Amino acid sequence: MHTPYKSVNFKLTEVVCGKSAEVTEWITRSFNYLRLMELTFIGIGILMCLIVVFQKIGKREKTYQFYSGLFFIAFSLYLRIGTKGLPIYWLSYYAREFIFYFCLVFMAVPFTLYLKERVYENKRMQLWCDILLLTQSICGTVIFVLHALGAADIFHTMQVSLAILLTAIATSIVFSGYFAVKLKHKAAIGSFVSGVIILLCFITEYIQFFGTDIFPFETGFFCHLGLAAVIIIETSVQFFFITKEIKQRNVVEEENHSLQLQLLTDQIRPHFLLNTVGAIRTLIHEDPDRASDLLYEF
């Protein structure tokens, strides 16, 4: 038989027969930890998008935090629907397939938008991000249409989509490495580590998928593990810089308050001078000695 899957490490390891409820129970028992991780990732992504509304941070920081939340949601939905976890039963088959494929094809877009916001100071890096976005949009639309028309198998289009995502991840590693080494940005160190972890996880998954059973784990395990590590690292970096920005904003507000008080004092001082001089001038005729004492105290 001719099949694109002949080179993939698919082996018949266990067959479960029985009623639907029994099979569902077996899947839940076997892969429930992946399901819980995926639901957690989706929840974190949604929380990152929603919390932007309430955070008192800069517009640019809100923007790239929103894009990172979208990437977590898209990648988690891709894992949730496309791996061995239980399907989302309240969605129809076609709705599940559409969400899965849409997230697969276009999940690199929010990641690249996030990356573009992080390198706003460098015009060349922003230009490269624009080129990536254009490539991702064109390739994503083409392979999405080809798959919808049945002209391309998901086995091939998935490899193209993941290659596009890996290009964006490799770009983030290069950019963050530049900022960490050349410009000594502390946040870039966390982003560099996150990018390396994701890249290593993808390589490991590729070896596990197309090679032999080198690792005693199910397919998708390293992607889940890598995404969990990235969420922890990026959340820590975000928390550190949001806290730092809040402290800086408080310092600026205190300085502004001091300047306002100084301005008010400067505005009051001339009136105080004129009033005092006027009072002394009046006392010169009524009580010269008292006027002399006031002038001395003044």
Side-chain angles (χ1 to χ4, degrees), residues 170-211:
T171 300
S172 72
I173 294 175
V174 174
F175 286 179
S176 57
Y178 171 81
F179 280 108
V181 175
K182 295 290 184 180
L183 304 180
K184 308 298 183 182
H185 284 189
K186 294 181 180 179
I189 299 176
S191 299
F192 178 81
V193 174
S194 299
V196 171
I197 289 176
I198 294 178
L199 187 62
L200 290 176
C201 288
F202 267 101
I203 293 174
T204 306
E205 286 289 351
Y206 188 88
I207 295 173
Q208 180 78 347
F209 191 72
F210 288 96

